[in-house]
Amino acid sequence: MNKQFEGTILPENQRFSILLSAIFILLKLFLLHCYAAIYNITSSNPLSQNEILISPTQVFELGLFCLDNTTNQYVGIWYKNIAPRTVVWVANRENPVIDSLASLKIGSDGNLKIVDENEVTLWSTNVSVRSNSSVAVLLDNGNFVLQDGLSEQQLWQSFEHPGNTLLPGAGIGYDRETGERRVLSSWKSNSDPSRGDFVTEIVPRSPPQALIWNGSVPYWRSGEWNKLRFIGLQGMDSTYSRAISLVLNDDQESGYFYLSLNTTDTSITILSEGTLKIMSWRKDTGWYSTWKRPNNTCDVYGTCGPFGICKISEFPICSCLEGFVPKSDEEWNKNNWTGGCVRRTELSCLAKTSLEASQGEETDRFWKMNGIKLPDKSKYQDVKDVNECGQWCLNNCSCKAYAYVMNIGCLLWSEDLIDMQELSSGGEDLFIRLASSELGDHIIDLSNIFKMNLVSS
Ligand SMILES: *[C@@H]1O[C@H](CO)[C@@H](O)[C@H](O)[C@H]1NC(C)=O
Ligand SMILES: *[C@@H]1O[C@H](CO)[C@@H](O)[C@H](O)[C@H]1NC(C)=O
Ligand SMILES: *[C@@H]1O[C@H](CO)[C@@H](O)[C@H](O)[C@H]1NC(C)=O
Ligand SMILES: *[C@@H]1O[C@H](CO)[C@@H](O)[C@H](O)[C@H]1NC(C)=O
Ligand SMILES: *[C@@H]1O[C@H](CO)[C@@H](O)[C@H](O)[C@H]1NC(C)=O
Ligand SMILES: *[C@@H]1O[C@H](CO)[C@@H](O)[C@H](O)[C@H]1NC(C)=O
Ligand SMILES: *[C@@H]1O[C@H](CO)[C@@H](O)[C@H](O)[C@H]1NC(C)=O
Ligand SMILES: *[C@@H]1O[C@H](CO)[C@@H](O)[C@H](O)[C@H]1NC(C)=O
């Protein structure tokens, strides 16, 4: 009887199970590709695996995601309407969720945290303000904000914890009073968002400048900020000057750099190979780069070594400053310029300390160069004009060069002159101290010397 029963019922059963598995596959596809949208995270409403937090007008979204070829899961923010997915911020970049269901929730202390299915915390906002009514929302500028639900006081925001990307409205910089340092740090690789080798920071000096570090070695620098632009950047025209700003407080104790744009589709990213790029997005072209540094070998910090200067249109690109010769001819001729150059004639002010002091009134002179990306490690000196600046430098034997820059004033160098470029447009005048015998009686213009070098070589 059983057999008979089976005999008639099996085909039905098979059809049913085929139908069932079809529904199951469809359901799975639906779950994989269709997330439930939520607009905030509260203590009673966490963000779980198949949910997406969306900004009010659907510009950005935040959720769990995996990177190419890995199963590591991260909580991140990306553009809702830009494909392929462009991640601009990652919460647990050092601590992925591995082989587990994860959720982002508000803990009993009011902090946001990412927990796996065993309730192990992988990341937390970890702020000390206790709140029993925290709410987390994603703003339309890409800022993920944790606030107190009642007072609306901000407890934490992702814009104060940038990853490798700076969105308009977020800042990187420093506050010497609180000790805060906000930097961009590169991903290890395209499939690993943990901190890589490169960091972009605003150096907390007066005046400040932007610097890319490769580990503990400087890789690129912008030159000082003159309240309008970074003075070491060629082609920093008014379009860029309007698009960027560095906000210093009155006593210069804090400085923050911003992309001052009223859009969301432009950003600055430090890539894992060390390049700092401004990227913009258009519907017809997708992402394109409008600016990047370093852009060539001359942009790389210290390519020509101490007292060497780089010019990308010359070959070789490095030469020694007037009055200086390669430290090692052998290395220099192999196009290894990092050893740099040394002074041909000792400075008169040093010689004066010895016997020669009695042999006349020889003083050092300054060699003027135009259109220069000024060397690193300048010190600001508060004097009234360029002459006083020069006099100040001359009076101190450890002063090796000076410059007087519009909107900044007097800069002096007492360390080796490093990371200079001859720019084809823009740039500053630099006055280099030389023994007077190197100059004859005249301060000669640099352009003549380059012509002379070309003729004689
Ligand atoms: C992922 O793997 C594919 C095939 O092996 C490879 O072509 C692709 O470059 C990988 N992607 C990343 C980001 O490593
Ligand atoms: C949270 O912050 C405290 C100090 O404010 C620090 O000691 C602790 O290590 C932090 N915890 C995590 C997980 O970052
Ligand atoms: C939240 O905290 C406040 C003050 O700490 C307390 O008065 C209130 O009862 C708390 N609310 C809940 C729901 O726990
Ligand atoms: C960064 O530094 C590392 C280690 O010092 C070096 O191997 C690498 O070539 C550097 N990267 C660049 C882009 O210069
Ligand atoms: C930014 O754009 C919006 C809409 O286009 C406009 O209403 C607003 O005034 C702009 N803000 C600034 C600072 O330009
Ligand atoms: C980048 O470098 C190339 C030469 O290597 C130069 O032609 C180009 O103008 C540079 N771009 C910028 C923005 O400086
Ligand atoms: C380049 O020269 C420096 C010293 O001037 C030396 O330390 C370095 O090893 C040289 N690099 C190469 C690749 O030869
Ligand atoms: C000369 O300059 C050096 C370096 O900036 C400084 O340490 C020193 O005090 C200065 N000497 C005088 C006499 O101003």
Side-chain angles (χ1 to χ4, degrees):
M1 193 183 133
N2 253 349
K3 263 180 192 161
Q4 218 179 4
F5 188 74
E6 274 175 6
T8 53
I9 208 97
L10 248 180
E12 280 262 337
N13 225 348
Q14 260 171 3
R15 263 180 270 149
F16 183 68
S17 71
I18 288 170
L19 188 70
L20 209 67
S21 56
I23 289 174
F24 192 68
I25 287 168
L26 281 174
L27 203 69
K28 250 176 133 174
L29 282 173
F30 178 78
L31 282 178
L32 276 177
H33 293 280
C34 214
Y35 291 88
I38 61 174
Y39 288 90
N40 59 37
I41 298 171
T42 61
S43 52
S44 58
N45 182 26
L47 178 99
S48 55
Q49 204 82 28
N50 290 309
E51 288 178 322
I52 286 282
L53 178 68
I54 297 189
S55 70
T57 69
Q58 317 220 333
V59 182
F60 285 98
E61 53 187 31
L62 175 148
L64 280 142
F65 71 99
C66 294
L67 287 160
D68 290 2
N69 306 344
T70 77
T71 54
N72 295 349
Q73 290 182 86
Y74 300 93
V75 169
I77 298 172
W78 55 88
Y79 300 87
K80 181 169 179 14
N81 301 312
I82 292 179
R85 180 165 58 204
T86 308
V87 175
V88 294
W89 185 78
V90 179
N92 54 326
R93 60 189 298 202
E94 304 294 336
N95 242 349
V97 182
I98 300 167
D99 296 330
S100 180
L101 289 172
S103 68
L104 174 63
K105 62 187 205 178
I106 287 172
S108 54
D109 62 350
N111 275 297
L112 270 167
K113 55 183 186 173
I114 300 171
V115 295
D116 67 11
E117 61 196 21
N118 301 317
E119 292 291 311
V120 174
T121 303
L122 295 154
W123 174 86
S124 162
T125 49
N126 200 23
V127 282
S128 59
V129 187
R130 292 183 73 93
S131 164
N132 58 6
S133 62
S134 309
V135 179
V137 291
L138 181 60
L139 306 182
D140 278 326
N141 60 4
N143 194 7
F144 183 39
V145 175
L146 179 70
Q147 60 192 36
D148 186 277
L150 300 174
S151 66
E152 295 197 348
Q153 182 204 353
Q154 280 191 1
L155 306 171
W156 177 93
Q157 51 178 318
S158 64
F159 270 15
E160 291 182 353
H161 304 269
N164 69 344
T165 299
L166 192 72
L167 292 171
I172 55 167
Y174 59 88
D175 186 330
R176 279 190 284 228
E177 267 151 24
T178 63
E180 189 192 36
R181 298 291 283 276
R182 230 181 271 164
V183 302
L184 293 183
S185 54
S186 65
W187 289 16
K188 270 218 173 78
S189 72
N190 286 342
S191 52
D192 181 359
S194 64
R195 276 179 196 83
D197 293 333
F198 295 93
V199 165
T200 309
E201 69 159 1
I202 303 298
V203 181
R205 272 204 323 240
S206 302
Q209 63 176 335
L211 196 76
I212 302 175
W213 293 93
N214 177 5
S216 57
V217 179
Y219 182 51
W220 171 84
R221 68 186 185 95
S222 62
E224 284 77 7
W225 176 256
N226 76 352
K227 302 186 180 81
L228 292 173
R229 58 186 186 87
F230 293 106
I231 59 174
L233 297 186
Q234 186 171 314
M236 195 84 194
D237 61 18
S238 53
T239 324
Y240 285 113
S241 304
R242 275 196 301 274
I244 65 171
S245 60
L246 203 156
V247 181
L248 298 165
N249 70 351
D250 289 341
D251 54 7
Q252 308 229 342
E253 284 301 301
S254 76
Y256 287 91
F257 171 84
Y258 296 92
L259 265 178
S260 45
L261 294 169
N262 194 12
T263 60
T264 54
D265 52 14
T266 294
S267 65
I268 299 184
T269 302
I270 178 77
L271 304 179
S272 36
E273 72 272 15
T275 308
L276 187 67
K277 266 189 172 176
I278 298 184
M279 303 289 289
S280 288
W281 190 86
R282 275 208 323 249
K283 223 174 200 142
D284 51 340
T285 58
W287 285 106
Y288 60 98
S289 164
T290 55
W291 181 91
K292 68 168 202 227
R293 284 296 184 284
N295 175 44
N296 56 47
T297 316
C298 277
D299 286 339
V300 173
Y301 189 100
T303 291
C304 299
F307 304 105
I309 186 161
C310 205
K311 190 174 185 189
I312 197 65
S313 58
E314 307 257 317
F315 188 82
I317 56 175
C318 289
S319 51
C320 288
L321 295 177
E322 178 62 22
F324 289 79
V325 292
K327 188 170 183 187
S328 156
D329 279 318
E330 195 191 334
E331 292 292 351
W332 197 266
N333 293 335
K334 284 193 286 188
N335 292 350
N336 174 11
W337 302 291
T338 53
C341 310
V342 291
R343 212 176 271 286
R344 191 162 41 199
T345 312
E346 191 183 39
L347 290 174
S348 314
C349 67
L350 285 172
K352 267 185 174 173
T353 60
S354 65
L355 265 180
E356 291 168 70
S358 53
Q359 301 178 343
E361 288 300 303
E362 292 259 294
T363 56
D364 297 320
R365 303 291 297 270
F366 290 101
W367 175 265
K368 183 184 180 189
M369 302 177 82
N370 319 106
I372 302 300
K373 175 180 181 178
L374 296 176
D376 195 14
K377 299 179 180 168
S378 61
K379 284 212 181 69
Y380 171 75
Q381 186 64 47
D382 190 7
V383 298
K384 77 171 194 299
D385 60 24
V386 62
N387 294 329
E388 215 174 287
C389 185
Q391 200 56 48
W392 189 280
C393 189
L394 193 62
N395 289 346
N396 187 334
C397 193
S398 61
C399 181
K400 297 185 166 96
Y402 74 92
Y404 197 84
V405 180
M406 193 181 74
N407 283 343
I408 293 179
C410 179
L411 296 176
L412 305 174
W413 283 265
S414 57
E415 294 182 53
D416 289 355
L417 306 180
I418 190 140
D419 196 37
M420 279 168 281
Q421 262 189 75
E422 213 196 327
L423 303 177
S424 60
S425 66
E428 304 294 328
D429 293 346
L430 177 67
F431 297 86
I432 295 157
R433 181 189 212 121
L434 292 178
S436 53
S437 61
E438 285 285 349
L439 285 171
D441 272 341
H442 301 287
I443 298 172
I444 313 164
D445 193 81
L446 176 78
S447 51
N448 295 327
I449 284 300
F450 271 105
K451 277 180 210 134
M452 278 158 56
N453 282 347
L454 284 179
V455 171
S456 63
S457 59

